[in-house]
């Protein structure tokens, strides 16, 4: 009797152990299965994600078909049984540029751990939406742009690509408080090799830089989030620096990255969102050091989510306040901005190609501060002519803002276009319009679509539609005919 009981108990323990091991067995990513000798294809990552959602009921998958063979997968991580009370919503996107695969591979590693239950404690405080491959065509072809030749990370204002339209739709539906956009930078070039040094940061992290974004959020990014992420990465053996642009070998000025609103960081930040960009270090080719690159991205995403959940109440309050200020819009809007020096010098560590050691360069030509070169007072709204195909097509794609049928009281003005002068801002050439205000009271407003400025996208609308804006439609390819108008076709209701 004792023997039977003992054998039965032993058999039960063996079966229980086998089942537990099967449950705890992690789903390997496609890259892991090849020992990081191949990249995850769109078909491969979709099969992997399907397997992951069967392991953890808190994971769910949604797909947006791009064509018969490619789709844009979206992963949600949220508790179905006990939803978090007032959770912080976190959105992370990766591989907008198809030749930057480590963000994708890093998010797949993270999702694998989610499937295994490692991050279930986040579900008490947060809901996550992850888009691991924003550019399936570019990813499978290992090219920067999508099938139509569009750079997705320069398309968040025009929304010409289906991929960026999907991303915008998902952003509006999910309404995140915190977003991260995962990229890679390329540290190898002949000019740097001739210089004898290279940038050697596993991860660079950038925050909002546009002046119209929240002061509180910019401060929290620089003084709190960055040190936290740096500490977490360094404890795991990864190097870190703030995302900084400039070609040191040629003596070009150094500065924080762009203030433009057409990318996946600033376009979200300009809505009041706490938004960051991650720049991992690319390889000499797609597979060079892929495992390290992917793991650096995974641990960065992990650190960002951990920090956001730990500081969720403060972040959500900052975002709420910022969005209310955008809706109320009582201050002028900076439509032309530039980085300028403020006396601060940059300590810039670079790896010596000769010794392999780090050397710290003290950069005096560091333009650390952003200033406004031109402000505009916000009107009550804008009127867009229905018969202007360029503008009406953009309006139909840009579903991120609301239109209204009834105009409030006010006077209608336009800008007379007197000419243009070239302006170099952030090392890029753009056209600055020379304008004069024109009274336009005797018009039929039924010929126009009215966009009121009482919404979360106020800042993006203003920067897009003001003819003197360095971020505006007037400076985009395809919109050149707007410059030939005697009167700027977009009217202001003041």
């Amino acid at each position: 009797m004792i023997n039977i009981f003992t054998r039965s108990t032993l058999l039960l323990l063996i079966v229980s152990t086998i089942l537990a091991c099967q449950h705890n067995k992690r789903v390997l990513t496609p890259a892991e299965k090849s020992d990081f000798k191949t990249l995850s294809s769109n078909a491969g990552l979709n099969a992997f994600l399907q397997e992951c959602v069967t392991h953890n009921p808190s994971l769910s998958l949604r797909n947006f078909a791009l064509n018969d063979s490619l789709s844009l997968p979206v992963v949600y991580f949220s508790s179905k049984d006990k939803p978090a009370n007032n959770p912080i919503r976190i959105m992370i996107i990766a591989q907008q540029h198809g030749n930057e695969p480590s963000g994708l591979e890093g998010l797949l590693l993270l999702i694998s751990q989610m499937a295994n239950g490692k991050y279930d404690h986040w579900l008490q405080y947060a809901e996550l939406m992850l888009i691991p491959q924003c550019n399936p065509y570019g990813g499978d072809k290992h090219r920067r742009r999508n099938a139509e030749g569009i750079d997705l990370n320069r398309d968040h204002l025009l929304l010409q690509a289906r991929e960026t339209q999907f991303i915008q739709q998902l952003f509006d539906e999910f309404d995140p408080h915190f977003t991260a956009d995962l990229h890679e930078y390329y540290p190898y070039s002949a000019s740097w090799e001739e210089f004898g040094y290279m940038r050697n940061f596993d991860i660079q992290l950038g925050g909002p830089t546009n002046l119209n974004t929240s002061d509180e959020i910019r401060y929290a990014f620089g003084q709190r989030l960055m040190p936290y992420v740096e500490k977490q990465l360094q404890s795991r053996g990864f190097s870190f620096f703030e995302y900084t642009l400039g070609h040191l070998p040629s003596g070009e000025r150094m500065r924080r990255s762009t203030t433009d609103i057409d990318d996946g960081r600033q376009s979200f930040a300009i809505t009041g969102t706490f938004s960051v960009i991650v720049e991992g270090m690319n390889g000499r080719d797609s597979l060079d050091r892929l495992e390290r690159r992917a793991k650096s991205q995974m641990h960065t995403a992990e650190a960002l989510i951990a920090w956001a959940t730990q500081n969720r109440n403060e972040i959500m309050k900052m975002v709420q306040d910022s969005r209310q200020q955008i809706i109320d819009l009582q201050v002028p809007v900076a439509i032309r901005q530039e980085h300028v020096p403020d006396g601060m010098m940059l300590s810039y560590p670079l790896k010596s190609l000769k010794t392999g050691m780090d050397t710290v360069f003290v950069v005096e030509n560091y333009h650390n501060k952003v200033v406004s070169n031109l402000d505009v007072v916000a009107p009550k709204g804008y009127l867009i002519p229905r018969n202007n195909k360029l503008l009406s097509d953009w309006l139909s794609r840009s579903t991120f803002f609301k239109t209204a049928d009834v105009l409030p009281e006010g006077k209608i003005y336009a800008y007379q276009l007197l000419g243009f002068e070239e302006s170099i801002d952030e090392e890029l050439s753009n056209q600055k319009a020379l304008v004069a205000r024109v009274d336009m009271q005797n018009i039929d407003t039924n010929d126009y679509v009215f966009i009121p400025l009482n919404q979360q996208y106020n800042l993006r609308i203003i920067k897009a539609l003001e003819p003197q804006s360095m971020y505006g439609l007037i400076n985009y390819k395809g919109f050149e005919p707007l410059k030939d108008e005697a009167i700027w076709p977009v009217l202001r209701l003041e």
Side-chain angles (χ1 to χ4, degrees):
M1 185 72 176
I2 294 175
N3 272 344
I4 294 173
F5 178 77
T6 303
R7 287 173 183 172
S8 300
T9 304
L10 181 61
L11 182 61
L12 182 62
L13 285 171
I14 292 171
V15 172
S16 299
T17 302
I18 292 172
L19 291 173
C21 288
Q22 289 176 341
H23 176 73
N24 291 325
K25 186 177 180 181
R26 188 167 64 80
V27 184
L28 296 181
T29 72
E32 282 183 298
K33 289 178 180 178
S34 71
D35 196 25
F36 292 94
K37 291 182 172 58
T38 61
L39 297 170
S40 300
S41 67
N42 187 249
L45 74 93
N46 269 297
F48 162 77
L49 294 175
Q50 289 285 358
E51 188 176 359
C52 284
V53 299
T54 65
H55 278 65
N56 191 333
S58 296
L59 283 171
S60 58
L61 180 63
R62 183 180 177 189
N63 253 301
F64 291 83
L66 293 174
N67 55 41
D68 292 340
S69 61
L70 296 175
S71 67
L72 192 149
V74 184
V75 177
Y76 296 88
F77 188 50
S78 60
S79 177
K80 306 298 187 294
D81 298 330
K82 294 181 180 179
N85 182 26
N86 195 27
I88 184 169
R89 293 183 296 278
I90 301 169
M91 173 182 181
I92 303 181
I93 66 177
Q95 208 179 30
Q96 288 199 77
H97 293 146
N99 59 351
E100 298 172 5
S102 72
L104 158 68
E105 304 296 353
L107 281 190
L108 296 190
L109 290 172
L110 192 77
I111 292 167
S112 172
Q113 300 283 12
M114 289 176 178
N116 201 41
K118 178 179 179 180
Y119 301 119
D120 280 357
H121 60 282
W122 286 342
L123 300 174
Q124 302 174 56
Y125 317 109
E127 293 179 354
L128 273 65
M129 181 174 72
L130 311 176
I131 311 178
Q133 189 179 54
C134 293
N135 185 356
Y137 177 86
D140 278 7
K141 299 293 185 182
H142 196 65
R143 53 179 267 183
R144 180 181 177 92
R145 298 169 183 263
N146 76 347
E148 290 72 43
I150 299 171
D151 186 331
L152 301 185
N153 204 41
R154 305 293 185 270
D155 189 48
H156 288 262
L157 180 62
L158 295 190
L159 297 174
Q160 294 177 311
R162 290 183 67 201
E163 295 91 335
T164 44
Q165 292 171 21
F166 287 147
I167 294 168
Q168 180 63 55
Q169 175 187 334
L170 289 162
F171 178 85
D172 288 334
E173 289 177 3
F174 192 63
D175 192 24
H177 304 97
F178 186 98
T179 69
D181 182 13
L182 310 187
H183 287 266
E184 290 186 284
Y185 73 99
Y186 191 74
Y188 313 103
S189 70
S191 59
W192 278 94
E193 289 180 359
E194 184 178 343
F195 183 58
Y197 296 87
M198 66 172 286
R199 294 162 292 171
N200 192 42
F201 317 116
D202 287 304
I203 292 292
Q204 294 185 86
L205 186 65
T209 53
N210 193 288
L211 278 180
N212 300 117
T213 55
S214 161
D215 291 339
E216 282 187 298
I217 290 175
R218 294 203 305 271
Y219 179 86
F221 168 79
Q223 300 302 313
R224 298 179 55 196
L225 175 58
M226 271 213 309
Y228 178 88
V229 174
E230 180 176 19
K231 182 178 179 181
Q232 295 300 311
L233 290 177
Q234 288 182 344
S235 71
R236 291 171 169 82
F238 297 107
S239 54
F240 176 90
F241 202 73
E242 183 176 6
Y243 184 31
T244 309
L245 295 183
H247 191 250
L248 187 64
S250 64
E252 180 182 290
R253 69 171 180 168
M254 304 291 292
R255 59 173 171 84
R256 292 192 173 97
S257 60
T258 180
T259 63
D260 211 335
I261 63 168
D262 60 0
D263 65 20
R265 168 192 36 158
Q266 305 286 8
S267 66
F268 298 151
I270 210 71
T271 70
T273 308
F274 199 128
S275 183
V276 304
I277 184 171
V278 177
E279 290 279 352
M281 181 163 57
N282 210 322
R284 289 187 180 273
D285 59 43
S286 60
L287 297 174
D288 180 32
R289 301 177 298 101
L290 180 61
E291 181 174 5
R292 181 178 180 87
R293 288 156 52 203
K295 288 182 176 178
S296 71
Q297 293 272 18
M298 179 195 73
H299 287 300
T300 303
E302 181 184 49
L304 292 172
I305 295 167
W307 185 84
T309 56
Q310 292 166 20
N311 297 277
R312 60 193 177 280
N313 292 328
E314 185 178 355
I315 293 171
M316 292 163 70
K317 180 66 164 58
M318 281 190 283
V319 170
Q320 180 184 20
D321 291 346
S322 177
R323 290 179 175 174
Q324 191 58 54
Q325 290 169 8
I326 291 170
I327 292 170
D328 294 340
L329 208 56
Q330 299 298 314
V331 297
V333 177
I335 60 173
R336 303 193 72 85
Q337 299 176 33
E338 183 57 281
H339 290 75
V340 299
D342 67 351
M344 179 179 176
M345 291 186 286
L346 176 68
S347 296
Y348 199 45
L350 297 173
K351 178 182 176 180
S352 169
L353 298 178
K354 183 177 181 179
T355 67
M357 302 295 289
D358 277 353
T359 300
V360 177
F361 286 76
V362 178
V363 181
E364 296 183 4
N365 192 20
Y366 180 43
H367 291 216
N368 177 57
K369 183 179 179 181
V370 178
V371 298
S372 174
N373 286 336
L374 182 63
D375 290 346
V376 64
V377 175
K380 290 185 177 181
Y382 292 96
L383 292 94
I384 293 184
R386 298 180 189 275
N387 64 358
N388 187 302
K389 182 171 173 52
L390 281 176
L391 293 172
S392 59
D393 284 352
W394 175 74
L395 190 65
S396 66
R397 295 193 304 269
S398 304
T399 55
F400 55 80
F401 53 73
K402 302 178 182 69
T403 59
D405 295 327
V406 179
L407 274 66
E409 290 290 327
K411 294 183 177 181
I412 298 174
Y413 293 91
Y415 292 109
Q416 181 182 0
L417 297 179
L418 305 177
F420 295 88
E421 60 183 21
E422 185 182 32
S423 179
I424 305 296
D425 301 281
E426 298 187 338
E427 288 74 49
L428 296 174
S429 173
N430 67 90
Q431 296 291 307
K432 180 182 178 181
L434 307 175
V435 301
R437 283 165 56 84
V438 180
D439 190 317
M440 299 287 287
Q441 304 311 312
N442 298 318
I443 63 165
D444 185 353
T445 57
N446 292 319
D447 295 334
Y448 291 80
V449 176
F450 178 59
I451 304 176
L453 288 186
N454 58 359
Q455 49 191 298
Q456 184 178 327
Y457 287 96
N458 281 350
L459 293 171
R460 194 190 291 186
I461 294 166
I462 292 170
K463 289 174 182 288
L465 297 181
E466 287 289 327
Q468 293 189 298
S469 172
M470 62 187 274
Y471 315 103
L473 299 179
I474 201 169
N475 278 299
Y476 280 91
K477 185 178 180 181
F479 287 82
E480 292 91 348
L482 297 178
K483 299 176 184 177
D484 298 331
E485 304 279 352
I487 301 291
W488 177 243
V490 180
L491 308 181
R492 292 166 52 99
L493 178 70
E494 299 181 4

